[in-house]
Amino acid sequence: MAKSHMLFSCQQCGATYKNWTGRCNKCGAWSSLIQQFDDDSREEKSAVGRSQISGRELNFVSIKDLSTSDEKNRLSTGFDDLNIVLGGGILPGSVMLLAGQPGIGKSTILMQICAEVAKTKNVLYVSGEESAGQVKLRAIRLGAESDNLKFASSTSANDIAKTIETGGFDLVIVDSIQTLTIAEIASAPGGISQVTNCGNLIIRAAKISETAVIIVGHVTKEGTLAGPKILEHLVDVVLNFEGDRYGGFKIIRAIKNRFGSTTEAAIFEMNQQGLTEVENPSAALLAERQNTDGSIILATLEGTRPILVEIQALVTPTNFGYPKRTASGFDLNRLNLLIAVIERRTKLKLNDKDVFINVVGGLRLQDSAADLAICLAIASAVAGRKLSEDFVVFGEVGLGGEVRSAFRPDQRISEAKKLGFAHAIAPSTVKDKFVIPVKDLRTTLIEYVNE
């Protein structure tokens, strides 16, 4: 018989090693080696040769004869905006991956989804992190107690997959993938091989039984999904839970969605009853606003939803030789670029000043049309002057100081009109009586940062 040897193969480049190392010497990838067994026999052929012999012809059918999942059978999450993010609700047989910072509310919203689905369907909540008592207390607090909602505590991916394959549940929650292990692999939970194979096992079971599965994933300190990137490719939907864990709004957006758009976003706030949808986020964000220098109202978009949000800037003389730039809710690299444009294209000098930017409400802007509002907020703070409280601002700023067009300006303008604003400082390409058109940053700063 062939003698079996254990090898470690790199998932990135395919290089093999006899011993495990933290880093692949060939491609430089860290923690990419997974264990495998190789039969050492002189008489045996290569892996490619053996695969060629063992392969068989596929059974194929016409694409017209394929059956599809019925859109009418989608499960409602109980949140209208979250249903829109998912493309209409939870599709049977789909596998979703939910990631977010610790304490942001992943377990809370999953329990609320379970409570809604369990009104008419069978739901299983599998926890590998929390005890039954902890889950019970959360269910009581959120009113999720139901005969249709079952609970199991397990870290065995084999057992979870076997339970899913029975088809006895319409929705299964797995919290979390980093705690699961597969019996055939002798490595610690959370490793690349464990996460990849556990994910594959659960996904296969979900597809066979047409059971919807939501998997919770951990994130790294940089905020990206922990574990191998292949896990994101395997699942159907990847949801990212963003926001401040201690307050402010929380946003769920789809960064991958096979059944809907990736431009939608659902906005929530946390209270004693759990997470609730924010019906009018613009009014809530501006409720405590004071019109001072450095305060600008930005008309932005979260997905396809228009939102008015306050941008605050604080500019102070630096006490050290190196000026400090800090941004909360805005990309720091983009802020440094805009400061460079302001210094080069206008007469403002910021090389001896500290600049602090804050996006009120805990939102994290990913809209290029926030550039003009950021620049106006900085200029307003430097001059000690304020913009008229009847104005909203949006527009992208180029490296030449020009103000460029923004995505979906009509929706931004409509939201500003709804909340009683009189004008919008916006790119000249927007043709609307409500808009005060501007072409370059220097002229805008001179004309509209008034006393």
Side-chain angles (χ1 to χ4, degrees):
M1 291 181 61
K3 191 176 181 180
S4 181
H5 293 279
M6 182 182 293
L7 295 176
F8 296 88
S9 175
C10 177
Q11 293 186 100
Q12 303 295 331
C13 64
T16 57
Y17 302 89
K18 292 184 178 180
N19 298 311
W20 186 88
T21 58
R23 182 172 181 266
C24 176
N25 295 328
K26 186 174 182 180
C27 66
W30 287 93
S31 301
S32 63
L33 303 185
I34 60 172
Q35 65 179 2
Q36 63 181 25
F37 290 93
D38 183 62
D39 291 332
D40 183 16
S41 175
R42 297 178 181 178
E43 298 180 359
E44 292 220 57
K45 298 182 179 180
S46 64
V48 175
R50 295 197 304 270
S51 300
Q52 189 175 12
I53 295 173
S54 62
R56 58 185 178 83
E57 185 179 351
L58 296 174
N59 296 323
F60 49 84
V61 296
S62 171
I63 196 167
K64 293 182 179 180
D65 300 330
L66 295 178
S67 60
T68 59
S69 299
D70 191 354
E71 293 287 330
K72 296 179 181 179
N73 293 331
R74 283 181 180 261
L75 306 176
S76 173
T77 62
F79 301 101
D80 293 337
D81 289 343
L82 185 54
N83 288 337
I84 294 173
V85 170
L86 295 174
I90 302 173
L91 193 69
S94 64
V95 180
M96 290 161 283
L97 182 62
L98 175 65
Q101 295 287 346
I104 198 171
K106 300 187 297 296
S107 299
T108 299
I109 197 167
L110 288 176
M111 185 59 71
Q112 291 179 264
I113 293 173
C114 288
E116 176 65 23
V117 177
K119 292 178 180 178
T120 56
K121 304 290 184 179
N122 293 322
V123 181
L124 174 63
Y125 193 108
V126 182
S127 177
E129 297 182 349
E130 298 177 297
S131 65
Q134 290 175 299
V135 177
K136 171 71 173 179
L137 290 174
R138 184 183 301 112
I140 294 174
R141 177 170 60 87
L142 300 175
E145 293 181 288
S146 171
D147 292 335
N148 291 337
L149 176 56
K150 312 297 183 183
F151 172 80
S153 179
S154 176
T155 58
S156 171
N158 306 69
D159 298 343
I160 295 172
K162 196 66 177 179
T163 305
I164 294 173
E165 284 183 9
T166 62
F169 298 95
D170 299 280
L171 174 65
V172 175
I173 309 294
V174 179
D175 186 9
S176 65
I177 188 67
Q178 272 78 15
T179 64
L180 301 187
T181 58
I182 188 170
E184 289 73 19
I185 298 177
S187 61
I192 289 179
S193 57
Q194 287 286 9
V195 170
T196 303
N197 288 281
C198 290
N200 267 309
L201 194 61
I202 291 174
I203 291 168
R204 188 182 305 170
K207 300 301 181 183
I208 292 173
S209 61
E210 286 291 310
T211 303
V213 177
I214 302 178
I215 301 173
V216 178
H218 295 172
V219 295
T220 63
K221 60 183 179 181
E222 291 83 13
T224 59
L225 189 64
K229 200 71 176 176
I230 190 173
L231 184 62
E232 296 180 53
H233 291 285
L234 291 173
V235 299
D236 300 310
V237 180
V238 179
L239 299 175
N240 198 21
F241 211 154
E242 305 170 357
D244 185 358
R245 57 183 295 188
Y246 299 109
F249 290 160
K250 295 167 175 56
I251 301 173
I252 295 181
R253 65 175 87 248
I255 59 178
K256 174 190 176 181
N257 193 352
R258 288 175 177 164
F259 314 119
S261 172
T262 56
T263 60
E264 301 292 345
I267 303 175
F268 301 90
E269 61 181 351
M270 182 72 79
N271 52 39
Q272 292 182 348
Q273 288 73 40
L275 287 161
T276 57
E277 288 181 306
V278 180
E279 298 296 334
N280 192 343
S282 298
L285 288 169
L286 302 181
E288 300 177 356
R289 190 230 177 180
Q290 296 180 357
N291 189 23
T292 60
D293 61 90
S295 175
I296 301 293
I297 302 301
L298 165 68
T300 185
L301 294 174
E302 276 296 340
T304 57
R305 173 189 285 188
I307 296 177
L308 301 187
V309 60
E310 181 184 2
I311 304 294
Q312 293 179 329
L314 180 64
V315 180
T316 60
T318 183
N319 295 321
F320 305 99
Y322 187 77
K324 185 176 183 180
R325 282 80 167 91
T326 303
S328 176
F330 189 73
D331 183 47
L332 183 58
N333 293 326
R334 187 68 180 175
L335 174 61
N336 288 327
L337 184 147
L338 293 176
I339 290 174
V341 172
I342 291 173
E343 289 189 320
R344 180 67 178 85
R345 304 302 178 187
T346 71
K347 294 183 178 180
L348 287 179
K349 298 302 178 184
L350 302 172
N351 56 358
D352 60 345
K353 294 179 174 62
D354 296 335
V355 179
F356 304 90
I357 295 294
N358 178 46
V359 180
V360 176
L363 295 181
R364 191 160 200 82
L365 296 180
Q366 297 179 342
D367 185 8
S368 60
D371 292 352
L372 186 58
I374 296 290
C375 292
L376 280 172
I378 294 172
S380 172
V382 171
R385 301 174 181 177
K386 59 185 180 181
L387 187 70
S388 172
E389 60 183 7
D390 295 328
F391 288 177
V392 297
V393 179
F394 64 90
E396 183 181 355
V397 176
L399 296 182
E402 74 278 10
V403 179
R404 296 179 173 271
S405 59
F407 181 62
R408 296 192 176 181
D410 52 337
Q411 289 187 319
R412 303 173 194 259
I413 293 170
S414 176
E415 184 72 9
K417 289 179 179 178
K418 189 188 303 181
L419 290 177
F421 287 87
H423 297 287
I425 298 177
S428 57
T429 54
V430 182
K431 306 301 180 182
D432 193 292
K433 294 180 179 179
F434 184 80
V435 172
I436 300 175
V438 293
K439 291 185 177 181
D440 63 89
L441 182 59
R442 182 175 182 179
T443 304
T444 306
L445 298 186
I446 294 172
E447 294 185 5
Y448 299 107
V449 181
N450 299 322
E451 302 218 8

